[in-house]
Amino acid sequence: MTLLAVCLLLGPAHAARSGDPPAESPTISEPGSDPGTENHTEAASEQELFLVRLVRDPGEPFNRGSYRATRLIRRIALDPLARGWGLVLPERVRDSVDSMATNLRFPGRFVNDLLQLRPRAAGIELARFVTNSTVGLAGLFDPAARMGLRAPEPEDLGQTFGRWGVTPGFFVFLPVLGPSSLRDAIGLVGDLALDPATWVPGAGAFFEFNRFSLNVESIADLEAQEADPYGALRDLWAVTRERAVRNYTIPESDFNARPVSSLYAVLLLKGQAPEPETRTIELAGGERLDYALWPGRTQRLVFILPGLGGFRVSGLVRTLASRISEAGYTVVSISNPFHREFIDGAGQGALPGFTPDDVTRVRAVLARIAGALRESSGAEPHAVVGASLGGLYSLFLAAEADREDALGFERFVAINPPVDTLYALQQLDEYYAAALEWPNGSRRAHIEGVLLKAAVLGTQTLGSDLRLPFDSTESRFLIGATYRHVLRDTIFVTQQLRNLQVLRRTWTDVRREPVYREIAAFSYEEYMHDFVLPFQNGPSSDASPATRIERTGVRWLEPRLVDEPRLRVFTNADDFLLHDSDLAWLRSTLGSRLRVFPHGGHLGNLVDPDVLDAIVQSLEPQPLDPGTPRRPREGDSPALP
C-alpha cells in the first residue's frame, strides 16, 4: 500500500460519530444484533457524507469497457513491443528521444502559456526551445536546464479551458489513448493541431509509443497492485490533472518543521531494492499465487509479511528487502491476506480478519514456497519478518513454532504489531472520521487539498529529514482514508467470489459505483461484525463473538510467547494502534526481546537507517544471555541483544 491509495479513494465515507472516545476495552455485539445501523445504505444517506470525487463518471459501463479493450490491446501487442523496444534502446536513449518529442511540442505549450496570461512561462519556453534545438541537438539533450532555464509546468488546451473556468464535465476513457474528460478530449483536438509531429506521418505515434515504453512497467505494477485498476487510473488521473490545471504547489506555510515520524512516511516509501523475480506456486487446492524473490549471497530464506492490504512489492516491502538482501539473505515476500492477489490465489474467497484462520493460510503458502525453493536451490527458511498486521502474523507463527508442521524458523521478527486487533481497527475508523472535524462548508475543499498535497509528495523522494505539509487532522484523515480504501477492495473482491448477501445493491463488472457507495458505509468494526464473525468457519467458530475477537489479537498467546527465545519485536512508544495497556503487556511479556523506540508512530521510523539496521541485526540467531531476565524490572529499558 502506497500514498497512491489516498488519491484512489472512491465514493462517500461513512461518518463515524464525532467525539466518541476510543474504547478502553473494545467489545463487539452478537452477530445478528444491531451494531448501530440496521441498513447501511439508509444510514449512509441519512448521515453526513464527504465526497472526494474530482471528476464525475456517469459513463462508467462504457469507460470500463473501453479500458478493458485497451488493456487487451496493450497486453497482446503494445506491452511486448514496448519491452522489446526497451531491449533495443537503453532507457537513457529513450529518454533522449522523449526529450526531443517534448522540445518539438513547444508551440502548444507556448500558445497555452500566452492564453493563460503567463508571459514569463512563455518566455522561458521560447528560450528553452531555441537553446535545446541548437545546442541540445534538436532537443535530444537539455542544456537549457543546466543554464538555469528550468522547464515550467507544461500547459495544454484542456488546462487553458480549466484556467478560464471550464469544468472537466465528466470522465471518459479514450480507447488506446487513456484517461481524459470531456473538456480535455475537446482540448486534445487543438493540442494535436499545434503539435508539429501530427503533420509528419507516423511521428506522433512513434513518440507516444516511445514514451509508453518508459512507463509500461509502472502501468503493469499499478494493475497488479490495485483490485480495481480502472478506478485507480481514473482517480489518479483526476487528482493529477486537477493539480496541473491549478498549477498547484504546496504553500510553504503548510509544511511541518518536524521530520517524518508517522505512518504517512511509510506510505511515501518507494524502496531502493532491485526488481525482484516474480515466481508462482500452486497450492494444494490448485490455486496459484505469485510471490517476489530477491536472491541473496546465501540460501537462508527470510520471508517478509506486509501489513494490512500490503502488496508483495510495495515500497515498505522493497525497503525491508533491500536492507535484508544486502546482508546476504535470500528474501521472499507475499501479499497480505487483505490484498486481492492473496484473496484470489490463497484465500479461496474467504473473508480475511480472523487472525488464526489468516495465519493458517499464510503458513500454508510459506510452506509451499519454502518447499519449492528447497527443491530448486537448497534454500532453507531462516526468519519471518512481519510489519504491522504482518507483525501480528509473525507473533502467531512464533507461538506455533513447536508444531510438527512448523517451518523451522530461527527468528520471528515483528515490527509494530497490533496487540488488540479490534482496538487497532477502531483507531483506523476514527482516523478516517477525522474529516468531520472540518466545517461542513469547507470539508470538500480540505479533502481536495489533502489529495493535492499527497499527489505532490508522491512525486518526491522521501528522506528522513523530509518536512510534511499536513496538520494533525489532515494526517489522520490521510492514514484513515488509505486503509478505508483497503476495506472497500476487500469487501468487494470477497463478495465477487462468494456473495454472502450482506450487500443489498447488485453490481456487474462494468457497473460498480452503486455497490461501492454501499460498501463505503462499512467501518472496520462493522466489517468484523457483519461479515467476518457470522461467516467464520473453523475450530473457533463455535466460540462466543467476544472470545473470537479476543483471538484475533495476541494476548491469549502469552503462555506460548513468554519463553520463546527466537522472537524479536520492535515497536514505538507513540504507535497510535497500541493502547497504553498494550505497550505495558508487550514489555511484561517479552522483556529484553522487545525494543521500544520513543518516536516513530506506526512504522514511521522505517525511513531511519539505524532502525532498519537494528531490524537486520536481529535476524542473526544470537541466543539471549542466560543471565538476562525475560521480564524487566521496574525502570528497565529493554533492548535487543
Side-chain angles (χ1 to χ4, degrees), residues 93-375:
V93 177
R94 287 178 288 139
D95 278 333
S96 291
V97 172
D98 190 57
S99 178
M100 174 187 285
T102 300
N103 187 67
L104 190 63
R105 288 170 177 150
F106 150 77
R109 297 191 302 276
F110 180 75
V111 168
N112 281 289
D113 280 331
L114 293 177
L115 290 174
Q116 294 182 40
L117 305 181
R118 302 177 68 219
R120 184 175 183 277
I124 294 174
E125 287 284 6
L126 178 60
R128 283 179 51 80
F129 175 71
V130 172
T131 303
N132 289 343
S133 296
T134 53
V135 182
L137 303 179
L140 284 171
F141 306 99
D142 189 7
R146 294 192 293 273
M147 296 167 60
L149 293 170
R150 299 290 180 183
E153 290 289 330
E155 302 294 337
D156 57 45
L157 197 54
Q159 290 168 259
T160 298
F161 289 154
R163 168 71 173 80
W164 294 107
V166 179
T167 62
F170 53 81
F171 180 77
V172 58
F173 195 97
L174 300 174
V176 181
L177 297 179
S180 189
S181 67
L182 177 62
R183 177 193 66 199
D184 292 344
I186 294 172
L188 180 61
V189 177
D191 292 331
L192 291 174
L194 290 169
D195 183 359
T198 302
W199 306 103
V200 180
F206 168 75
F207 285 136
E208 287 302 320
F209 173 76
N210 180 74
R211 176 167 294 181
F212 173 73
S213 74
L214 294 167
N215 297 313
V216 60
E217 299 304 337
S218 297
I219 296 172
D221 287 347
L222 176 65
E223 291 183 336
Q225 182 166 350
E226 291 296 325
D228 182 6
Y230 162 79
L233 285 169
R234 175 193 60 198
D235 294 336
L236 177 60
W237 173 86
V239 72
T240 304
R241 189 63 177 164
E242 185 68 14
R243 176 198 169 202
V245 169
R246 296 188 190 184
N247 289 312
Y248 179 83
T249 57
I250 302 174
E252 182 63 29
S253 60
D254 284 1
F255 280 93
N256 191 329
R258 296 191 303 273
V260 174
S261 62
S262 194
L263 176 58
Y264 42 64
V266 175
L267 302 179
L268 287 163
L269 283 176
K270 296 181 175 64
Q272 300 300 317
E275 284 299 313
E277 299 177 24
T278 298
R279 297 193 181 184
T280 305
I281 52 162
E282 185 170 322
L283 302 175
E287 304 89 352
R288 297 172 65 82
L289 182 70
D290 289 343
Y291 65 94
L293 173 69
W294 286 268
R297 297 191 304 273
T298 71
Q299 295 304 314
R300 293 190 294 174
L301 288 177
V302 175
F303 291 90
I304 296 178
L305 305 179
L308 182 64
F311 187 49
R312 54 185 158 84
V313 288
S314 66
L316 181 147
V317 170
R318 287 177 181 271
T319 297
L320 290 172
S322 176
R323 288 303 185 103
I324 294 171
S325 61
E326 285 174 3
Y329 298 99
T330 293
V331 180
V332 168
S333 67
I334 62 174
S335 295
N336 182 267
F338 278 79
H339 191 274
R340 179 207 62 187
E341 184 174 75
F342 193 99
I343 294 170
D344 285 344
Q348 300 175 327
L351 289 157
F354 186 67
T355 313
D357 291 351
D358 295 343
V359 171
T360 296
R361 289 187 282 270
V362 168
R363 188 194 315 110
V365 169
L366 300 187
R368 282 280 181 171
I369 296 173
L373 294 178
R374 182 183 295 114
E375 183 176 339

Side-chain angles (χ1 to χ4, degrees), residues 93 127 166 253 302 448 535 542 568 606 609:
V93 177
V166 179
S253 60
V302 175
E448 288 184 1
F535 300 99
D542 293 334
R568 297 291 183 271
L606 289 186

Side-chain angles (χ1 to χ4, degrees), residues 506-576:
T506 59
W507 67 88
T508 66
D509 281 346
V510 296
R511 182 63 172 169
R512 301 185 181 186
E513 191 66 18
V515 77
Y516 276 176
R517 287 178 175 270
E518 182 181 358
I519 291 172
F522 287 90
S523 66
Y524 271 101
E525 184 174 1
E526 289 163 339
Y527 166 74
M528 294 295 292
H529 178 279
D530 291 351
F531 287 90
V532 176
L533 292 187
F535 300 99
Q536 182 255 327
N537 296 310
S540 301
S541 58
D542 293 334
S544 69
T547 298
R548 283 185 284 161
I549 283 296
E550 180 187 10
R551 290 180 183 176
T552 64
V554 75
R555 287 176 186 260
W556 69 287
L557 296 175
E558 179 176 351
R560 305 184 209 173
L561 297 176
V562 68
D563 291 319
E564 175 48 67
R566 292 163 289 188
L567 178 61
R568 297 291 183 271
V569 177
F570 297 83
T571 194
N572 301 316
D574 58 351
D575 187 340
F576 73 95

Side-chain angles (χ1 to χ4, degrees), residues 431 433-438 450 470-478:
Y431 269 44
L436 296 178
E437 297 174 13
W438 293 314
V450 171
F470 305 112
D471 62 26
S472 173
T473 302
E474 291 172 332
S475 63
R476 285 183 287 128
F477 172 69
L478 187 65

